């Protein structure tokens, strides 16, 4: 790797793990800043940012990683976040992704897998920055969604959406007029295999309807397919 080093913020309160990970990332030519608490992470982001990636432990001494990630997304900071945690239940993974994380890895983990996930997130971010996403802009009624800027506007007013809502919306736009099962959406957007709680999908679709449908009780864009899942119908007025 040549040129300017990629900056990673590693938020981890286990000192020995933080030092070991920092060493391995630096051997791979990344520039790593350490933070050992949520407040320390916020201070580091303010002073030393921007960063290209945040690796975030969930169990921090002053706040949990879910709360910190939600704070970042609420402040329109969409730096890719990879969560590390000893919590292995699918429900914990869902909570992390719903808080705005882009990926989730449970401890103990294989170092090679961690490095591969980091490279994948950085590639995805580079594609977004270079404008290589398909369906870069989407119009739904009075709303305009820009996937490169992670920005949605209705009548020129910015509407807050989480990273996961953007991901679900983008997957819908990549598969217009096709019936998408809840299981497919869980696997492709949430990256969950054989997760039984499909209410997660229903809740997110309801949120998209409340945001973008003129009448959420009579949706025009996000259509239910009984017993299967959902179908996205692009704006027919275009």
């Amino acid at each position: 790797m040549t040129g300017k080093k990629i900056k990673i913020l590693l938020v981890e309160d286990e000192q020995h793990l933080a030092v070991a990970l920092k060493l391995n990332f630096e051997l791979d030519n990344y520039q790593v800043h350490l933070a050992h608490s949520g407040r320390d992470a916020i201070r580091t982001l303010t002073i030393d940012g921007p960063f290209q990636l945040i690796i975030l432990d969930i169990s921090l001494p002053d706040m949990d990683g879910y709360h910190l990630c939600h704070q970042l997304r609420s402040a329109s900071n969409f730096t890719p976040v990879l969560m590390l945690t000893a919590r292995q239940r699918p429900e914990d993974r869902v909570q992390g992704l719903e808080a705005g994380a882009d990926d989730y890895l449970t401890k103990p983990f294989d170092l090679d897998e961690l490095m591969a996930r980091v490279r994948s997130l950085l590639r995805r971010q580079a594609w977004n920055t270079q404008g290589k996403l398909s369906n870069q802009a989407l119009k739904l009624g009075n709303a305009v969604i820009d996937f490169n800027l992670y920005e949605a506007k209705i009548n020129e007013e910015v509407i807050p959406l989480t990273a996961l809502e953007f991901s679900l919306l983008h997957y819908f736009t990549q598969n217009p007029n096709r019936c998408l099962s809840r299981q497919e959406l869980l696997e492709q957007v949430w990256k969950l295999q054989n997760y039984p709680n499909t209410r997660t999908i229903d809740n997110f679709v309801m949120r998209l309807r409340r945001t973008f449908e003129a009448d959420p009780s009579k949706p025009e864009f996000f259509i239910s397919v009984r017993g299967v899942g959902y179908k996205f119908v692009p704006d027919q007025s275009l």
Side-chain angles (χ1 to χ4, degrees):
M1 186 182 299
T2 59
K4 193 173 181 179
K5 290 184 178 181
I6 291 172
K7 289 174 62 177
I8 294 175
L9 174 59
L10 175 59
V11 188
E12 172 60 66
D13 67 329
E14 293 183 40
Q15 184 71 25
H16 68 284
L17 178 59
V19 171
L21 288 177
K22 183 175 188 293
L23 175 61
N24 278 278
F25 280 116
E26 288 176 342
L27 288 174
D28 215 20
N29 211 34
Y30 295 103
Q31 181 181 342
V32 181
H33 291 244
L34 289 181
H36 301 294
S37 69
R39 293 186 185 89
D40 192 16
I42 293 171
R43 183 168 53 252
T44 304
L45 284 164
T46 302
I47 297 173
D48 298 314
F51 292 87
Q52 283 72 56
L53 178 70
I54 300 170
I55 300 176
L56 176 61
D57 184 29
I58 288 180
S59 299
L60 299 172
D62 54 349
M63 68 178 74
D64 65 40
Y66 300 134
H67 179 70
L68 177 56
C69 189
H70 180 72
Q71 274 192 313
L72 294 176
R73 298 320 190 208
S74 296
S76 298
N77 184 330
F78 294 107
T79 304
V81 171
L82 169 60
M83 281 190 170
L84 297 179
T85 178
R87 305 178 190 180
Q88 300 189 10
R89 299 181 309 162
E91 292 84 355
D92 296 321
R93 179 185 177 94
V94 168
Q95 186 177 353
L97 294 172
E98 290 186 352
D102 298 275
D103 203 353
Y104 186 104
L105 188 60
T106 57
K107 301 175 181 177
F109 52 82
D110 180 80
L111 180 61
D112 288 339
E113 180 181 2
L114 172 61
M115 302 299 281
R117 287 176 184 248
V118 165
R119 288 191 292 269
S120 176
L121 285 173
L122 291 170
R123 280 197 304 270
R124 191 188 312 169
Q125 183 73 355
W127 292 337
N128 292 354
T129 302
Q130 294 165 11
K132 292 183 179 179
L133 278 176
S134 60
N135 300 316
Q136 293 170 19
L138 170 70
K139 189 174 186 301
L140 291 178
N142 294 326
V144 177
I145 301 97
D146 189 316
F147 292 105
N148 287 327
L149 297 178
Y150 277 81
E151 183 178 80
K153 291 183 177 180
I154 297 180
N155 297 324
E156 297 303 314
E157 180 182 351
V158 175
I159 304 300
L161 291 178
T162 68
L164 198 53
E165 287 169 334
F166 272 110
S167 296
L168 177 59
L169 188 54
H170 188 254
Y171 193 77
F172 273 131
T173 66
Q174 290 179 311
N175 296 274
N177 300 305
R178 184 167 79 82
C179 179
L180 303 173
S181 70
R182 292 175 176 83
Q183 191 60 46
E184 177 180 347
L185 293 171
L186 283 170
E187 291 177 358
Q188 297 301 318
V189 179
W190 275 257
K191 309 303 181 185
L192 290 171
Q193 301 290 329
N194 302 316
Y195 182 62
N197 186 2
T198 56
R199 287 299 303 170
T200 296
I201 301 297
D202 299 334
N203 292 339
F204 267 74
V205 172
M206 282 300 300
R207 283 153 60 172
L208 293 181
R209 285 174 173 171
R210 286 195 296 268
T211 301
F212 297 110
E213 300 280 6
D215 183 353
S217 66
K218 298 177 182 178
E220 300 177 19
F221 308 128
F222 306 99
I223 310 300
S224 297
V225 180
R226 185 180 295 274
V228 181
Y230 295 95
K231 179 170 65 173
F232 172 69
V233 179
D235 193 336
Q236 302 299 312
S237 66
L238 298 180

